[in-house]
Amino acid sequence: MKKLFLLFISITTFISCTHDPDLSTDHSSFLWYTSSGFEEADYTLGIEDYITLLDLSKNPSTNLFTIPETAKFIKGDLNRAIEDFTPYIIPNTGNTISDTKVNVIFSQAGLQTIILKNTYEEELEGTTLIEDQWVAEQTFTIDVFDRIKPALKLSTYDVTDPENPVLEDVFSLNEDEEPTIESKADWQVITIEAGEEVVFTDITTTGRSTARTWYTDGGKPEESTKEIANIRYNKPGEYTAYMESKRSGSDVPTYTAEKLIPVLIKVIPSSKPFVIDGNVTLNNGIISFSVTGEIESVIAQASKFTVHVTNTAASFDVNIPVSSVSINSDDSSVVDLELAETIYNTDTIEISFTDGNVTSVDGRVLENFGPLEVKQDTGASIFVQDIAGFENENANWKKGFCKNYFIGNGNGTEIAPIFSRTLEKAYEGEASMRFKVDELSNISLLGLDLTKPNGLNAGTYLMTYMVFIKDADTDDSNNINVIKTQLKSGSTLLQNKDWSLEGVEKNKWVKIEQSITVDDIASGTKIDLRFETIDNPNATGPQTIYFDSFSWVRLNPRP
């Protein structure tokens, strides 16, 4: 859309946009105004747009607009539907014109200036005396945005070594190339196997684009706004793509450019086996697993799966039938199984697949697998996440700089506390609790509010911590092998649980877990994390451990 800016220029006085300017003719003035009110004369404009300026100064002796050599004056009351302004260019004006209204169109991007220069017989505020004339001058700065000219490249992975795939550029399209569908017979062909990716990269530089969208027929996803988009092709066939590049925002001229990508992406059947890919999980009663390709059919496959469920405490050891098999509605490379009976989070589950006909879109048949462990989502923690995740900051070092916890005077010093909420590392959220000592001593982190406000019901719970044991640098030897969880009512110890850290992998977040059975716990019962020297006779020198995401999940016994 063509943009019209009405500019009235004023130096004699600054007139609030809430007041009407004095337009009488009994004195001289140098006055400007914009459609947005009185403001600095800085604007943005697309290279195909024009700007209109009005000089409503009073009683100037002369008036002159000067524009860059690459700009043109255009005439008339312009129709905004006009695409070609060539017939409207005012001939023989060069880059100056004496007029009270000018339309200017720019043919070069970048910062451009328009100068309005008026002369007067009398002195006005802000004027300069030059050769017996008082001169007033205003410069307007226009940031002219070029048309967006999309440029891109495509890459594929060389999987000669499957463990170390190498990304290689296979096609590029520069900003000056304008391919058409009519030349399709001459397009480059990129051949990949089903399940492989083409990487689309936006390398546009001209036009200051703010976003782009890739439209990839047959790809997953079929649309992507990422600057570098990994598009997977699962089904054999020949596919095309194009790119849309945009510029938008409150301070820039809107523009959209599309470019066809002159490439034929040819997808052939995969030579790789069609197998299970990753872990098998159970969430909300549904067993799910991924496979190495997009699934075409799972019809009549329930009997090909064996789901073996055991529960020692309940003397349960049974194969539970699969009642339905489906392709996941959000990801067509995932199989979902629904079971005919209820699963409890105390169950142990294994799954096998034998002699079935689960097929991929490129004609492969899923290979046998199992028995494999099914990893359960055991449920939500009973604790408030922010409290158990050490997310709530406190200014008191005796509280480890963390709300809902307390250590006391034994927590080192304010400068070097033993327990301290930190942003150095976090498994979830922003913070964790750091334990750091030069020499181990007996000390507890008191969990004051974990059981508030309603206490905890009697039962068996799965208790977990995420721990990061720092090691292998010059200061931290980290040979702590035992920590404790203690339940206390006041100073009375209700229950003690030891945790073994022996063999826990260091320098990474690791989940440690064990079950705990409790009677009803009153609100206000403390759940403490404790270190004792007697448990760690070989723990010498500096030690650093981070804790996060403390969790209790109620375990449901099988009837």
Side-chain angles (χ1 to χ4, degrees):
M1 178 180 291
K2 302 297 177 281
K3 296 183 179 177
L4 180 64
F5 292 92
L6 302 181
L7 312 174
F8 300 80
I9 303 165
S10 170
I11 283 182
T12 52
T13 56
F14 180 89
I15 305 173
S16 168
C17 58
T18 61
H19 295 81
D20 293 330
D22 180 8
L23 297 180
S24 64
T25 59
D26 58 356
H27 65 273
S28 300
S29 67
F30 187 43
L31 181 70
W32 78 87
Y33 181 76
T34 77
S35 57
S36 299
F38 292 89
E39 58 186 32
E40 295 298 325
D42 294 333
Y43 304 95
T44 59
L45 193 66
I47 201 169
E48 72 278 11
D49 290 344
Y50 65 88
I51 186 170
T52 298
L53 300 93
L54 297 178
D55 175 12
L56 294 189
S57 301
K58 289 176 282 184
N59 300 324
S61 300
T62 62
N63 129 286
L64 188 71
F65 282 100
T66 302
I67 62 175
E69 295 289 344
T70 55
K72 299 294 181 184
F73 293 108
I74 52 178
K75 62 186 176 182
D77 294 325
L78 300 171
N79 184 334
R80 298 191 181 193
I82 296 171
E83 296 294 333
D84 182 8
F85 289 97
T86 303
Y88 299 89
I89 294 174
I90 302 175
N92 305 318
T93 57
N95 69 325
T96 61
I97 196 170
S98 179
D99 205 336
T100 56
K101 175 184 177 181
V102 295
N103 303 310
V104 181
I105 190 167
F106 296 91
S107 61
Q108 182 172 309
L111 291 177
Q112 309 291 338
T113 58
I114 298 174
I115 300 173
L116 173 62
K117 181 178 180 181
N118 286 2
T119 63
Y120 296 85
E121 296 295 332
E122 60 191 88
E123 181 180 7
L124 306 179
E125 183 180 350
T127 58
T128 302
L129 183 62
I130 301 176
E131 297 180 354
D132 299 326
Q133 292 286 318
W134 293 96
V135 178
E137 187 174 293
Q138 176 63 35
T139 299
F140 302 91
T141 302
I142 300 95
D143 189 0
V144 180
F145 282 65
D146 207 341
R147 297 177 181 87
I148 295 175
K149 298 179 180 179
L152 58 101
K153 68 176 182 179
L154 305 185
S155 311
T156 58
Y157 286 96
D158 180 349
V159 290
T160 303
D161 179 359
E163 299 299 321
N164 298 287
V166 178
L167 189 64
E168 297 181 340
D169 296 343
V170 293
F171 174 80
S172 64
L173 189 66
N174 67 45
E175 64 176 32
D176 296 322
E177 294 178 278
E178 294 293 342
T180 63
I181 194 68
E182 287 75 21
S183 62
K184 186 176 181 180
D186 299 322
W187 288 3
Q188 179 177 333
V189 176
I190 296 176
T191 301
I192 60 173
E193 291 190 3
E196 293 182 343
E197 294 180 340
V198 177
V199 180
F200 292 70
T201 303
D202 182 2
I203 56 174
T204 302
T205 57
T206 299
R208 291 181 271 180
S209 62
T210 57
R212 91 290 307 147
T213 302
W214 306 100
Y215 296 92
T216 55
D217 176 38
K220 299 290 183 181
E222 291 191 332
E223 292 183 19
S224 175
T225 58
K226 293 182 178 179
E227 182 177 356
I228 301 175
N230 288 57
I231 307 300
R232 184 182 300 275
Y233 291 85
N234 292 319
K235 193 171 184 177
E238 295 182 347
Y239 304 101
T240 59
Y242 73 94
M243 175 189 183
E244 181 181 76
S245 188
K246 293 182 178 181
R247 181 177 63 225
S248 62
S250 59
D251 298 325
V252 298
T254 300
Y255 192 86
T256 300
E258 293 182 356
K259 182 166 282 190
L260 184 65
I261 302 174
V263 163
L264 200 62
I265 299 172
K266 184 177 181 180
V267 183
I268 61 176
S270 176
S271 62
K272 302 176 183 65
F274 191 39
V275 295
I276 191 169
D277 185 19
N279 293 327
V280 185
T281 61
L282 174 69
N283 292 283
N284 298 318
I286 302 296
I287 293 177
S288 301
F289 60 89
S290 296
V291 293
T292 55
E294 186 173 347
I295 304 161
E296 176 75 20
S297 174
V298 292
I299 296 174
Q301 295 301 296
S303 64
K304 307 300 180 181
F305 291 93
T306 301
V307 178
H308 185 66
V309 179
T310 58
N311 190 306
T312 303
S315 300
F316 189 83
D317 189 340
V318 172
N319 289 336
I320 294 181
V322 174
S323 59
S324 69
V325 183
S326 60
I327 302 170
N328 185 276
S329 58
D330 295 324
D331 186 345
S332 56
S333 66
V334 173
V335 176
D336 290 336
L337 308 181
E338 189 170 355
L339 301 182
E341 298 179 21
T342 301
I343 294 292
Y344 296 83
N345 65 0
T346 51
D347 290 337
T348 299
I349 312 165
E350 290 184 332
I351 184 173
S352 302
F353 175 73
T354 307
D355 297 336
N357 193 36
V358 173
T359 57
S360 69
V361 293
D362 60 326
R364 294 174 292 160
V365 177
L366 183 63
E367 295 187 2
N368 296 346
F369 65 81
L372 299 176
E373 177 189 1
V374 177
K375 297 183 179 297
Q376 283 206 62
D377 176 8
T378 52
S381 175
I382 61 173
F383 296 146
V384 176
Q385 185 174 356
D386 283 354
I387 296 176
F390 311 103
E391 294 297 321
N392 302 319
E393 185 177 7
N394 185 283
N396 190 338
W397 65 276
K398 296 180 182 181
K399 296 183 177 182
F401 299 109
C402 190
K403 291 181 181 179
N404 316 111
Y405 293 89
F406 184 77
I407 305 99
N409 291 329
N411 193 34
T413 66
E414 183 171 6
I415 296 175
I418 296 173
F419 283 105
S420 177
R421 177 184 181 272
T422 180
L423 303 181
E424 293 173 356
K425 298 184 187 298
Y427 177 74
E428 291 180 309
E430 295 183 347
S432 64
M433 181 59 69
R434 183 187 66 198
F435 169 82
K436 184 174 183 178
V437 292
D438 291 327
E439 288 292 340
L440 183 64
S441 60
N442 295 339
I443 190 169
S444 294
L445 173 69
L446 311 184
L448 301 178
D449 295 334
L450 291 169
T451 61
K452 293 180 179 179
N454 300 317
L456 305 179
N457 294 328
T460 299
Y461 295 85
L462 180 65
M463 181 170 55
T464 64
Y465 272 112
M466 297 303 302
V467 297
F468 188 108
I469 304 175
K470 188 178 177 184
D471 198 17
D473 61 29
T474 56
D475 295 326
D476 298 312
S477 53
N478 267 313
N479 43 22
I480 292 177
N481 286 330
V482 177
I483 59 175
K484 296 178 181 292
T485 294
Q486 295 183 334
L487 274 64
K488 284 186 174 181
S489 178
S491 60
T492 302
L493 178 64
L494 303 178
Q495 190 168 159
N496 183 85
K497 278 285 189 178
D498 287 350
W499 299 82
S500 174
L501 300 183
E502 190 169 359
V504 173
E505 190 173 354
K506 297 178 180 179
N507 296 320
K508 66 179 293 186
W509 286 106
V510 177
K511 179 188 284 188
I512 57 175
E513 62 182 26
Q514 61 175 308
S515 63
I516 182 170
T517 301
V518 297
D519 296 327
D520 286 336
I521 296 177
S523 176
T525 300
K526 299 189 294 294
I527 303 178
D528 302 343
L529 175 64
R530 181 163 177 80
F531 291 78
E532 292 188 354
T533 56
I534 194 172
D535 296 325
N536 297 281
N538 298 319
T540 58
Q543 314 281 331
T544 302
I545 305 176
Y546 300 86
F547 295 87
D548 202 359
S549 303
F550 187 35
S551 170
W552 278 29
V553 175
R554 187 177 181 87
L555 294 177
N556 301 314
R558 177 174 281 276

